[in-house]
Amino acid sequence: GTGTGTGTGTGTGTGTGTGTGTTRMTNLAGRRRLLVGGVMSGTSCNGITTALVRVERARSGDRLTARFHSLRDRAYPAALRDELLAAPTLSVARLATLHARLGRAFGRALARHLERESSPRIDVVGCHGHTLFHRSRAARDGPPVSWQIGEAAEVAAALRCAVVADFRPADIAAGGEGAPLVPFGDAVLFGSDAATRRRPRICLNIGGIANVTLLDARGRPALAFDTGPGVALIDAAARRTDGRRRMDRGGALAARGSVDRGLLGRLLAHPYFRRPAPKSTGREVFDDAWVRATVRGKPRPEDLLATLTELTVESVARAIESLPVRPADVVVAGGGALNRTLMRRLGERLDPLPVVTSDRLGWPVLAREAAAFAVLAAAYVWGLPASFPGTTGCRVAPVLGKLCLPPA
């Protein structure tokens, strides 16, 4: 895929290192091709996804292209996953420990990925971290903030490699929502056929929260926002049916249920769905407690899952229909793309608009976010702005991320 970006800028960073590290980063910035590792832990709390991506900068200008190399997805051990889900209730001491522990887990996951692939040494890592808290500009209980954990210094030490992390604060400081940050990567991954398509494209990611990117007819990110719940509510309801379940795998339980139209209407009445874009949200807004407070009576688990699946489908469909243009297609990625019931209903709801998964374009559905943050790390190295007023609401287009160098 190809994408575009314009402007100049520099990033700020923390970490250890000497002039040797600075020289190494300067040398990286002077290269046109980078092998980048991307690390992602989504709000679904299911595990760590690592991707290796080859990113190239055009000889003239700031046009980037990317090629998929490999992907690995590692489930969290049950204890670590439970701690992530319980993070809002943890003490400062336990949160600090979790921050370091998660950074080591990220480093090990990518190190094992490299060992199993017999891959050459990577040039830089883009590590998104794990989001614990996200408050948008529209919130009334405080200023916008987005907090990700997973100590980047641990990743840098494990891989002996520079790490770019903590991408969201620069966008928030520039007046943006801090999310979604994948539109720049979407343009690089999914905008390459714009010349032949000649029509806009929707890139839809269904993770714990769902978000859309509108690529214009030239393959550039024109608009992006979170649509609302992805699979986080579905996963939470599935866990309550059976303590051994982590999700409604394949949508099998939802397929056996019936949609409660009254409950669906009450859920869709949430004011977030009426807010104009750009906008962002998180588990703080759409959580299991909100669902339980909205439910009346004791619905069958299958019916509740069918209703929550339809909530994701309907909120995504309405968001796409609200866009100012009619797209050529919808490219779906994220863990929700593996939910057959959700995908079937989405295709039916959006018909005749074609709905395809990102696999069709050479990017596995689980690779999209890790690959996007690998692209953002490359953009940082080259000093390229990576979020824009139409995607996050920022006033100016900032360079995203903070640099952490490995021990000298």
Side-chain angles (χ1 to χ4, degrees):
T2 61
T4 60
T6 59
T8 60
T10 59
T12 61
T14 60
T16 59
T18 65
T20 302
T22 304
T23 301
R24 185 164 65 248
M25 291 305 296
T26 301
N27 291 339
L28 283 180
R31 290 170 51 185
R32 288 183 47 240
R33 299 180 183 87
L34 299 174
L35 179 59
V36 189
V39 183
M40 181 67 193
S41 173
T43 51
S44 60
C45 299
N46 286 325
I48 303 170
T49 303
T50 56
L52 299 183
V53 181
R54 297 188 183 278
V55 187
E56 182 172 345
R57 185 179 184 180
R59 290 186 181 276
S60 59
D62 297 329
R63 187 177 181 85
L64 304 184
T65 57
R67 184 159 52 89
F68 173 72
H69 185 283
S70 59
L71 168 75
R72 290 194 68 81
D73 191 54
R74 297 177 61 84
Y76 279 124
L80 181 54
R81 184 170 187 269
D82 290 345
E83 197 161 18
L84 285 171
L85 289 169
T89 67
L90 299 182
S91 67
V92 171
R94 289 185 66 185
L95 282 174
T97 302
L98 181 60
H99 177 54
R101 183 183 175 195
L102 197 58
R104 289 192 288 273
F106 291 158
R108 284 196 303 269
L110 188 51
R112 289 173 181 170
H113 184 162
L114 291 167
E115 289 171 2
R116 295 193 178 190
E117 294 290 325
S118 299
S119 297
R121 181 179 177 86
I122 53 178
D123 297 307
V124 65
V125 174
C127 184
H128 172 264
H130 182 87
T131 300
L132 284 194
F133 184 77
H134 182 84
R135 184 167 59 215
S136 73
R137 292 181 301 172
R140 297 180 179 179
D141 57 344
V145 65
S146 193
W147 182 29
Q148 287 72 42
I149 64 169
E151 177 53 68
E154 295 284 355
V155 182
L159 296 167
R160 307 289 297 176
C161 178
V163 176
V164 183
D166 209 14
F167 293 94
R168 298 188 186 274
D171 181 77
I172 291 174
E177 292 273 339
L181 294 186
V182 293
F184 184 88
D186 283 341
V188 176
L189 272 56
F190 304 119
S192 62
D193 61 348
T196 55
R197 187 167 23 92
R198 296 182 182 179
R199 287 182 60 192
R201 162 172 282 164
I202 296 294
C203 300
L204 167 64
N205 185 73
I206 309 177
I209 298 295
N211 56 68
V212 293
T213 300
L214 171 64
L215 299 181
D216 66 18
R218 297 175 61 184
R220 301 172 303 185
L223 183 67
F225 57 96
D226 292 340
T227 63
V231 295
L233 298 179
I234 299 170
D235 289 349
R239 285 195 297 272
R240 284 192 277 115
T241 66
D242 183 339
R244 295 180 303 237
R245 292 182 190 272
R246 292 191 171 195
M247 64 190 75
D248 182 12
R249 192 172 298 279
L253 291 176
R256 300 204 296 264
S258 299
V259 174
D260 181 335
R261 293 293 167 182
L263 173 58
L264 178 62
R266 293 193 297 275
L267 294 171
L268 286 169
H270 193 288
Y272 179 81
F273 298 122
R274 297 191 298 273
R275 276 185 53 203
K279 58 182 178 177
S280 64
T281 190
R283 295 173 70 101
E284 301 76 24
V285 175
F286 295 107
D287 61 1
D288 195 37
W290 169 65
V291 173
R292 292 198 301 270
T294 311
V295 168
R296 296 173 184 171
K298 293 185 177 180
R300 291 194 315 142
E302 295 88 345
D303 294 344
L304 178 58
L305 282 162
T307 304
L308 293 176
T309 300
E310 194 69 12
L311 172 65
T312 296
V313 169
E314 186 63 24
S315 57
V316 166
R318 291 184 183 186
I320 291 174
E321 290 168 350
S322 74
L323 294 172
V325 296
R326 181 70 174 171
D329 56 12
V330 178
V331 179
V332 188
L338 302 177
N339 184 316
R340 291 186 294 275
T341 301
L342 193 159
M343 289 295 293
R344 175 179 57 79
R345 281 293 304 124
L346 187 63
E348 292 170 349
R349 176 63 177 79
L350 291 174
D351 184 65
L353 182 62
V355 177
V356 300
T357 61
S358 61
D359 301 74
R360 300 272 191 94
L361 302 179
W363 294 92
V365 294
L366 295 181
R368 182 252 196 175
E369 287 187 297
F373 284 99
V375 171
L376 287 184
Y380 176 95
V381 169
W382 288 316
L384 301 179
S387 64
F388 310 95
T391 60
T392 67
C394 57
R395 293 184 298 271
V396 294
V399 175
L400 304 179
K402 299 174 185 176
L403 176 65
C404 188
L405 295 173

